[in-house]
Amino acid sequence: MKAMIFCAGLGTRLKPYTDSVPKALVQLAGKPLLTHVIERLKTFGVDEVVVNVHHFANKVEAFIADRDSYGIKVSISDERDMLLDTGGGLKKAADLLNDGKPFIIHNVDIMSDINIAELYKKHQEGGALATLAVSNRMSSRYFLFDEAMQLVGWKNIKSNEQKISRVGDTYIPFAFNGIHVVSPQIFELMDGFDGKFSIVDLYLHLAKTESIKGYDVSKNRIIDVGKPASLIDAEKLLF
């Protein structure tokens, strides 16, 4: 099973830590965030990981090269020349990910106790193009779903901006948790999306004609460790 870990971001919310190291190598409970995510993915059967790099790319590459103990294949998707955002990063890594089977995407700054095996199974059973781990929690931005948990839109609570992919009577808001399972057919549906673009925009476009589903993990503990204070919270709650 393959997975991609999004690591290329600048980590501006984690300053001053990211002034000297990339976000992926910021320490939590004595280990870099990247190590936490890889070790957790391994417990669910992942045996090959793709890591994208941009900010302090050399440090991430050197760190991975020194970690034979991971015991799995770790490939680099190089975004040194241009930071491609989540959608562009996924497209660039297509050749490394596409083996004809669904793969996992995991943000490096998300710590959780989500059962990824259950999420993967739900994706396989549901026949969706992508299955997103979502929660009923406070956020400034929400994906909107219908009663069947089919993605129908997106809303920014602060700006009141709204994007609707499918008009309907039900728009149930759920916050996205940065963990998703994606079928490789997505690479055939990216026409018109090039360079730097968000996977959110890609999902909203594809939801017009394809099945993008949400999987409710509100019962789980999930912490976005993208800010210094949240690192402390994560260590208290998860370790």
Side-chain angles (χ1 to χ4, degrees):
M1 188 189 307
K2 292 188 178 185
M4 182 170 188
I5 305 175
F6 284 144
C7 296
L10 299 176
T12 52
R13 294 185 302 151
L14 264 177
K15 284 180 172 291
Y17 296 111
T18 49
D19 287 338
S20 56
V21 296
K23 178 169 58 176
L25 301 186
V26 170
Q27 296 279 317
L28 171 63
K31 295 180 184 179
L33 299 181
L34 179 59
T35 297
H36 283 290
V37 175
I38 289 178
E39 289 180 346
R40 181 155 178 77
L41 288 170
K42 281 180 62 179
T43 67
F44 292 107
V46 171
D47 55 12
E48 187 168 344
V49 169
V50 177
V51 174
N52 64 342
V53 296
H54 174 80
H55 185 54
F56 291 118
N58 292 342
K59 291 188 176 183
V60 179
E61 286 185 322
F63 179 81
I64 290 172
D66 288 340
R67 294 302 182 278
D68 291 338
S69 59
Y70 280 143
I72 61 175
K73 182 179 180 180
V74 182
S75 302
I76 298 293
S77 182
D78 194 337
E79 296 180 28
R80 281 179 176 85
D81 293 340
M82 180 181 181
L83 185 59
L84 296 172
D85 205 342
T86 49
L90 173 61
K91 185 172 184 178
K92 183 176 177 62
D95 289 343
L96 297 171
L97 289 168
N98 190 358
D99 62 358
K101 300 175 184 178
F103 54 89
I104 299 160
I105 299 177
H106 198 302
N107 289 4
V108 77
D109 54 5
I110 295 295
M111 300 291 121
S112 80
D113 60 2
I114 292 171
N115 187 324
I116 294 175
E118 286 185 4
L119 175 64
Y120 194 91
K121 182 181 178 183
K122 184 72 173 182
H123 175 77
Q124 290 180 306
E125 293 174 347
L129 183 66
T131 304
L132 321 180
V134 296
S135 297
N136 183 13
R137 61 174 174 82
M138 293 294 294
S139 179
S140 60
R141 293 166 293 181
Y142 291 95
F143 276 128
L144 305 175
F145 296 88
D146 64 15
E147 292 180 350
M149 290 301 285
Q150 168 69 46
L151 180 65
V152 295
W154 174 91
K155 185 170 185 178
N156 185 319
I157 299 300
K158 290 184 177 180
S159 67
N160 212 33
E161 180 186 5
Q162 186 167 282
K163 300 177 182 179
I164 300 299
S165 301
R166 298 190 184 196
V167 177
D169 297 324
T170 304
Y171 301 98
I172 306 170
F174 281 94
F176 181 41
N177 293 308
I179 301 173
H180 25 153
V181 180
V182 183
S183 292
Q185 289 76 16
I186 197 167
F187 296 120
E188 303 168 7
L189 301 170
M190 289 185 172
D191 290 346
F193 285 85
D194 293 298
K196 180 179 180 179
F197 63 93
S198 169
I199 202 167
V200 171
D201 292 333
L202 177 64
Y203 282 157
L204 290 171
H205 171 73
L206 294 176
K208 297 173 184 177
T209 56
E210 305 292 331
S211 177
I212 310 291
K213 300 293 269 305
Y215 179 61
D216 187 359
V217 294
S218 298
K219 66 182 184 300
N220 292 99
R221 294 180 296 175
I222 302 142
I223 301 177
D224 177 348
V225 292
K227 297 180 180 179
S230 60
L231 288 170
I232 298 170
D233 293 338
E235 188 162 349
K236 290 178 180 177
L237 290 174
L238 298 175
F239 302 100

